[in-house]
């Protein structure tokens, strides 16, 4: 059913879209119309949920060389397009597109017309009306959501998230159930079909790796009053995801200290399937953290996640939650190399770390402006305020900054404090000499650092180091404003930066060797082979995360055996709940068998189905680059 | 005093009530044909290799002072470029173990769990275990034992526990000797002592296809347990097909003489008929 444009079509379409007389916004609107007009309506008669992408590729809005010219001297984030935000699904489904058409830009109106024309080709009167005037029933809302989300992809924005699905769908569900139009079983089968539809064409929406497509969906949490918002759909969605066993949509769940323990159990059953989700976010930490950053209480209570884990407010935020990353491990390493000799004590050295973090913040801040983002007239339609192009900004225009190698940074500091300052086993000079030649002349120091110096996730003395370091990271960004008058949100995520940053590092004061991977996100060092889940949960539930609340989960790999029976599974659910009760901000649990991963490397054919969590998303293990595979295998070290 | 500990597993879900931290003590007087913890058998440290990661570079052999027979000196561990070597069996003092375990005390308590001593056979280091129970007296304590220990040692250790989990492998003495290397007379006497002790206890039976899972063995075992007032439950442990996975890494050979392929029977009803709660793990 897939097709590619013929060369003639391609040329014709390109010429029309790339017409120099058109603005970029006009081109984007025209591109969406031409795209949708050329889409084939292919519908399996058994399918109740519409839309399946058939065009594999479509011309861009720029003539050859034009983009390079336009973006010269500008900072282009990723592909230079709007991405990774969350639409106002609630408002669009409730009111339909026509009220928005009355107030939006002409380009947005063209996008609306193109979308409606496309939807009308399905000859489904309910769907057509729902898109125009708002959905009235649960099935209508689901179908309309699918069409809108599909058209969002078609409009060339990406990492299109699904937001708080169990919240915005609830009114339709309840109305139908009350009116006797819908049973719980029917609702479940509708949800399953919708969820499956996100897998129909997801192979065409590739990010960094296959699977990294941002189709994340949030469940649970609290309502605008702060009361528990777990509802019937929360449970049905978990069941649907379990029944489907597909990697899309990626399930996230908001929890807090009053979340019913049974919900953790249900979520752990989903984890057991090995899809790498759900990912948990803790309202009790995230909401106050977002308020500290300037989000209103009401908006903070409505948070969801962007593609991976970054917190974002649906409909009102044009945050760029992953605009850059600071190598925390690298900053500490630089400070040690440059300042250790002249530091009389640990505190002085730490001041140098703070200065280095500020220096790196200066550098990064000036490198990401002036920002280039292409207009996104259709995404603009789906914002709460559709009157202007979202690429120009929205209520929130904050930038997220990842911090990579936190555990290594902490362990380096703790090691230097112990070895050089406290025990004085090595002089500063000897220590730096050993680092410089990668421990060639001091193998005993290397093994001391690798296994015996304090490590975050095992040794309590690292906890205060982590707190001060997180604080220093937050301080380095506090008070800065980006060019859109937003703030910076440092966070504990790493995305793919942990691999890039690791490749820049030499030998480190925690015994890390060049070429070795760093741990992803907010997780213990890979050198810590005897990290136990309890110690990790305890030490990573840090009060300091409230100030670095961009997002970035603690990832825990547990042997698949802990999910073997109900009793054991309930204990695993309890482990997650303890992390939340202790004040952990975000967590993601994997069920893996190390043996399976090792086998999968040698016999990939037999393990085509094996799914693992990579950084913020799940993918098929055998399809990942070897470096990712190795990193994942290494982090399962403590599961056996 | 010190003991030899070969692992501390913080998050164990099959070794007693709640979330358990298990302290594995090295050395076992039995040699069960199905033992899946070969690194726990020898009462001395052992070198363990993760074979799947080894690239046969030979660096370890180049530094080995006793190529003829490994003394677990550890010299090869830090030189391996693939990080695939370790020494199982660390000498620890009770306060070392406490320092690892007690920071998580609040979590263990929250999860209705505690610490479990396992092995090997923990009673091979009974004095150390008893000292450990003192160092860890603030948490719920449990011991997993084969019951193969001098009676006075067994009773003394049982006294220090909140719960005892004891294995019964085979009721028949000759069969027991054949499959585990030792007879079960002592084990039966200790079981009687346990029944009299007033301590709550669980019984575990490994389900080894064609060896322990037969009806006769189950019935005789259930008979031993009839009217044991403080017996809380019987757990039938499914044979673990990965049991042999670690042998090669210890330069040992796993050679089960029973059929690994047949699924074991799990005759839960025999225990239920005797009014004993029974679950399969
Ligand atoms: S040094 Fe490591 S990788 Fe090399 S042969 Fe020895 S065990 Fe294998
Ligand atoms: S531990 Fe390693 S170096 Fe030491 S005797 Fe054994 S094989 Fe040789
Ligand atoms: S009693 Fe346990 S540790 Fe000892 S040989 Fe038997 S199975 Fe192995």
């Amino acid at each position: 059913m897939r097709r590619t444009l013929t060369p003639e079509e391609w040329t014709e379409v390109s010429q029309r879209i790339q017409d120099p007389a058109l603005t970029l916004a006009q081109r984007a609107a025209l591109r969406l119309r031409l795209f949708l007009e050329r889409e084939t309506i292919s519908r399996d008669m058994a399918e109740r949920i519409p839309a399946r992408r058939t065009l594999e590729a479509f011309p861009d809005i720029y003539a050859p060389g034009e983009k390079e010219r336009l973006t010269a001297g500008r900072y282009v984030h990723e592909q230079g397009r709007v991405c990774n935000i969350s639409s106002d699904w609630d408002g669009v489904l409730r009111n339909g597109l026509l009220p928005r058409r009355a107030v939006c830009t002409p380009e947005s109106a063209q996008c609306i017309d193109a979308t409606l024309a496309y939807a009308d080709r399905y000859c489904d009167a309910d769907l057509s009306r729902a898109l125009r005037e708002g959905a009235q029933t649960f099935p209508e809302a689901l179908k309309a959501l699918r069409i809108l989300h599909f058209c969002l992809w078609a409009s060339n924005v990406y990492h299109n998230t699904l937001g708080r699905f169990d919240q915005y769908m609830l009114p339709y569900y309840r109305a139908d159930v009350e009116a006797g139009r819908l049973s719980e079983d029917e609702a479940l089968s509708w949800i399953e079909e919708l969820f499956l539809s996100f897998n129909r064409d997801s192979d065409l929406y590739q990010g960094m790796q296959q699977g990294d497509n941002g189709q994340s969906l949030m469940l649970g949490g609290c309502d605008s009053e702060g009361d528990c918002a777990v509802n019937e759909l929360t449970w049905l969605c978990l069941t649907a995801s379990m029944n489907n066993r597909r990697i899309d949509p990626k399930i996230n769940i908001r929890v807090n200290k009053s979340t019913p323990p049974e919900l953790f159990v249900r979520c752990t059953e989903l984890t057991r399937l090995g899809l790498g989700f759900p990912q948990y976010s803790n309202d009790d930490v995230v909401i106050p953290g977002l308020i500290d950053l300037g989000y209103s209480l009401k908006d903070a209570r409505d948070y969801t996640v962007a593609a991976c884990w970054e917190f974002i407010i649906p409909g009102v935020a044009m945050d760029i939650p992953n605009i850059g990353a600071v190598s925390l491990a690298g900053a500490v390493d630089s400070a040690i190399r440059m300042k250790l000799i002249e530091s009389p004590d640990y505190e002085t050295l730490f001041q140098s770390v703070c200065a280095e973090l500020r220096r790196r913040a200066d550098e990064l801040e000036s490198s990401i402006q002036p920002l280039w983002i292409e207009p996104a007239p259709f995404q603009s339609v789906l914002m709460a305020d559709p009157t202007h192009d979202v690429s120009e900004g929205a209520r929130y225009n904050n930038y997220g900054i990842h911090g990579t190698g936190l555990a290594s940074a902490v362990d380096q500091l703790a090691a230097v404090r112990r070895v050089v300052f406290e025990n004085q086993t090595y002089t500063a000079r000897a220590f730096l000499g050993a680092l410089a030649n990668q421990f060639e002349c001091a193998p005993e120091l290397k093994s001391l650092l690798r296994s015996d110096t304090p490590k975050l996730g095992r040794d309590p003395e690292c906890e205060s180091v982590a707190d001060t370091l997180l604080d220093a990271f937050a301080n380095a960004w506090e008070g800065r404003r980006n060019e859109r008058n937003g703030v910076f949100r440092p966070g504990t995520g790493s995305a793919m930066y942990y691999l890039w940053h690791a490749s820049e590092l030499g030998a480190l004061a925690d015994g890390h060797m060049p070429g070795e991977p760093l741990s992803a996100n907010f997780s213990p060092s890979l050198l810590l082979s005897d990290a136990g889940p309890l110690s990790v949960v305890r030490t990573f539930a840090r009060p300091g995360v409230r100030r670095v609340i961009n997002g970035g989960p603690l990832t825990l790999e547990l042997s698949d055996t802990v999910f073997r029976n109900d009793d054991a599974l309930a204990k695993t659910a309890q482990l997650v709940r303890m992390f939340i009760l202790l004040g952990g901000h975000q967590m993601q649990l994997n069920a893996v068998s190390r043996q399976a991963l090792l086998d999968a490397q040698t016999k990939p054919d037999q393990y085509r189905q094996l799914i693992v969590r990579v950084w913020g998303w799940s993918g098929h293990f055998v399809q990942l680059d070897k470096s990712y595979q190795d990193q994942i295998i290494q982090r399962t070290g403590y599961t056996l | 005093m010190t003991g030899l500990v070969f692992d501390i597993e913080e998050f164990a879900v099959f070794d007693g009530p709640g979330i358990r931290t298990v302290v594995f003590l090295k050395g076992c007087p039995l040699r069960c044909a199905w033992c899946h913890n070969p690194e726990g058998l020898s009462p001395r440290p052992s070198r363990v290799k993760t074979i799947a990661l080894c690239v046969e570079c030979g660096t370890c052999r180049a530094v080995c002072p006793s190529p003829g027979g490994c003394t677990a000196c550890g010299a090869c561990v830090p030189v391996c470029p693939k990080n695939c070597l370790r020494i199982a069996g660390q000498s620890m003092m009770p306060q070392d173990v406490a320092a690892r375990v007690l920071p998580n005390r609040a979590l263990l308590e929250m999860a209705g769990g505690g610490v479990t001593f396992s092995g090997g056979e923990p009673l091979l280091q009974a004095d150390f275990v008893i000292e450990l129970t003192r160092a860890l007296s603030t948490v719920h304590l449990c011991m997993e034992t084969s019951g193969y220990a001098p009676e006075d040692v067994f009773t003394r250790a049982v006294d220090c526990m909140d719960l005892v989990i004891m294995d019964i492998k085979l009721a028949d003495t000759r069969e027991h000797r054949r499959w585990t290397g030792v007879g079960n007379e002592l084990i039966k006497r200790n079981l009687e002592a346990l029944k009299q002790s007033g301590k709550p206890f669980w019984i575990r039976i490994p389900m080894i296809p064609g060896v322990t899972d037969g009806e006769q063995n189950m019935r005789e075992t259930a008979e031993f347990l009839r009217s044991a007032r403080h017996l809380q439950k019987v757990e039938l442990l499914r044979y673990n097909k990965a049991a042999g996975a670690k042998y090669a890494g210890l330069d040992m050979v796993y050679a089960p003489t029973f059929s690994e392929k047949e699924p074991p029977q799990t005759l839960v009803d025999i225990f239920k008929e005797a009014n004993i709660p029974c679950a399969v793990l």
Side-chain angles (χ1 to χ4, degrees), chain B residues 119-185:
Chain B
E121 168 49 61
L123 291 181
L124 210 55
Q125 302 186 54
D127 288 341
F128 178 62
V129 169
I130 289 167
E131 284 226 10
L132 274 177
T133 63
R134 297 197 181 112
L136 300 171
S137 62
T138 49
V139 294
H140 179 273
L141 296 173
C142 170
M143 161 172 80
E144 283 171 352
T145 175
S146 66
Y148 191 82
E151 288 158 273
D152 60 318
V153 169
F154 182 83
T155 316
R156 258 193 316 132
V158 165
D159 268 350
C160 301
M161 303 295 160
D162 298 304
L163 172 74
V164 174
I165 301 179
M166 184 166 154
D167 271 12
I168 297 186
K169 294 164 173 107
L170 284 153
D172 181 82
T173 304
R174 286 225 330 265
E175 283 290 291
H176 198 280
R177 187 179 300 283
R178 173 173 165 213
W179 290 102
T180 73
V182 302
N184 64 0
E185 300 86 347

Side-chain angles (χ1 to χ4, degrees), chain B residues 24 27 40 68 75 81 91 123 131 139 152 170 202 204 233 239 243 263 279:
Chain B
F24 289 93
S91 177
L123 291 181
E131 284 226 10
V139 294
D152 60 318
L170 284 153
W202 300 0
R204 285 184 154 181
K233 64 169 155 177
Y239 174 67

Side-chain angles (χ1 to χ4, degrees), chain A residues 200-250:
Chain A
R200 284 180 195 155
D201 37 27
S202 55
D203 59 315
L204 294 173
Y205 307 140
Q206 289 203 22
M208 294 301 299
Q209 297 262 315
Q210 182 70 48
D212 173 24
N213 57 25
Q215 298 189 129
S216 49
L217 181 144
M218 179 60 87
L219 300 172
C222 64
D223 61 19
S224 57
E225 302 302 311
D227 296 325
C228 179
V230 173
N231 60 45
E232 307 90 294
L233 285 182
T234 317
W235 297 89
L236 284 176
C237 288
L238 289 169
T239 306
S241 181
M242 262 179 252
N243 291 348
N244 281 354
R245 296 186 182 227
R246 297 298 188 85
I247 53 180
D248 281 298
K250 298 162 212 332

Side-chain angles (χ1 to χ4, degrees), chain A residues 596-609:
Chain A
L597 297 180
L598 290 169
D599 285 356
Q601 277 195 322
T602 50
K603 290 169 256 167
D605 268 344
Q606 293 170 26
Y607 287 89
R608 287 175 189 280
Q609 295 308 318

Side-chain angles (χ1 to χ4, degrees), chain A residues 231-440:
Chain A
N231 60 45
E232 307 90 294
L233 285 182
T234 317
W235 297 89
L236 284 176
C237 288
L238 289 169
T239 306
S241 181
M242 262 179 252
N243 291 348
N244 281 354
R245 296 186 182 227
R246 297 298 188 85
I247 53 180
D248 281 298
K250 298 162 212 332
I251 303 292
N252 281 263
I253 185 135
R254 282 176 46 178
V255 291
N256 54 56
K257 57 180 175 311
S258 46
T259 301
E262 314 83 71
L263 189 63
F264 288 95
V265 173
R266 194 80 180 123
C267 289
T268 309
E269 289 171 9
L270 179 54
T271 299
R272 167 164 60 185
L273 297 183
L275 296 159
F277 51 69
Q279 173 171 263
Y280 302 83
S281 301
N282 186 355
D283 292 350
D284 297 330
V285 181
V286 176
I287 294 171
L290 290 174
I291 291 171
D292 290 349
L293 286 168
Y295 293 84
S296 75
L297 173 64
K298 180 171 166 293
D299 287 341
R301 281 179 173 160
D302 199 29
Y303 80 88
T304 179
V305 285
C308 295
W309 52 70
E310 301 94 333
F311 305 115
I312 193 143
I313 317 298
V316 295
M318 181 50 220
D319 296 335
I320 303 178
N322 59 342
I323 199 161
V326 171
S327 169
L328 299 174
V332 168
D333 180 55
S334 300
I336 289 172
R337 284 175 197 262
M338 288 184 303
K339 301 290 183 182
L340 183 60
I341 288 193
E342 58 193 72
S343 299
D345 51 29
Y346 173 76
E347 282 64 38
T348 315
L349 175 68
F350 191 76
Q351 287 315 312
S352 305
V353 171
C354 297
E356 178 64 19
L357 287 170
R358 281 193 301 272
R359 194 190 65 72
R360 291 187 178 220
D362 292 342
E363 215 176 81
L364 181 55
E365 185 186 358
S366 55
S367 74
I368 53 179
Q369 56 187 8
L371 183 73
W372 166 270
I373 311 184
E374 186 180 302
F378 188 58
Q379 175 70 74
S380 308
V381 168
L382 304 179
M383 301 306 283
D385 172 7
T387 57
H388 65 278
D389 199 283
V390 67
S391 64
E392 294 157 13
R395 189 180 304 162
Y396 300 105
N397 302 288
N398 303 323
Y399 289 176
I401 305 289
H402 296 319
T404 68
L406 172 77
S408 166
V410 168
D411 297 349
Q412 289 178 56
L413 285 168
V416 170
R417 180 161 75 179
R418 163 129 10 132
V419 174
V420 178
F421 293 112
E422 286 171 6
N423 296 356
Q424 301 182 356
T425 334
Y426 288 80
T427 63
R429 203 167 293 283
F431 192 91
L432 290 180
L435 274 190
N437 69 18
Q438 300 176 355
F439 306 112
E440 228 160 71

Side-chain angles (χ1 to χ4, degrees), chain A residues 450 532 534-535 538 561 565 571, chain B residues 10 13 16 18 83 103-104 281:
Chain A
R450 288 177 78 90
L534 293 185
S535 295
R538 175 175 53 81
T561 58
N565 66 21
K571 293 176 186 181
Chain B
E10 275 192 5
V13 293
N83 255 327
N104 296 323
L281 282 193

Side-chain angles (χ1 to χ4, degrees), chain B residues 47-51 53-63 76-85:
Chain B
R47 190 195 77 156
V48 188
K49 173 160 133 184
T50 305
I51 291 184
L53 296 175
C54 171
V55 292
E56 285 301 339
C57 66
T59 315
C60 54
R61 288 184 288 276
V63 300
C76 55
V77 173
V79 303
C80 170
K82 301 304 290 179
N83 255 327
C84 52
L85 298 174

Side-chain angles (χ1 to χ4, degrees), chain B residues 176-249:
Chain B
H176 198 280
R177 187 179 300 283
R178 173 173 165 213
W179 290 102
T180 73
V182 302
N184 64 0
E185 300 86 347
L186 191 53
I187 294 174
K188 285 187 200 163
R189 285 203 298 276
N190 280 331
L191 175 63
E192 282 313 309
L194 181 59
K195 280 158 68 178
Q196 301 309 317
S197 70
K199 275 291 163 202
F201 69 102
W202 300 0
I203 292 295
R204 285 184 154 181
I205 311 172
M207 294 291 100
I208 310 303
V211 181
T212 63
D213 66 340
E215 185 172 341
Q216 192 185 348
N217 188 40
M218 292 295 127
R219 287 210 185 279
E220 283 173 30
T221 307
E223 205 45 47
F224 292 152
L225 299 173
R226 194 176 289 278
S227 74
R229 278 204 300 133
H230 301 282
L231 171 63
Q232 295 182 333
K233 64 169 155 177
V234 167
E235 290 180 336
L236 306 184
L237 306 185
R238 270 200 208 92
Y239 174 67
N240 181 355
K241 286 216 184 74
K246 298 194 245 171
Y247 280 72

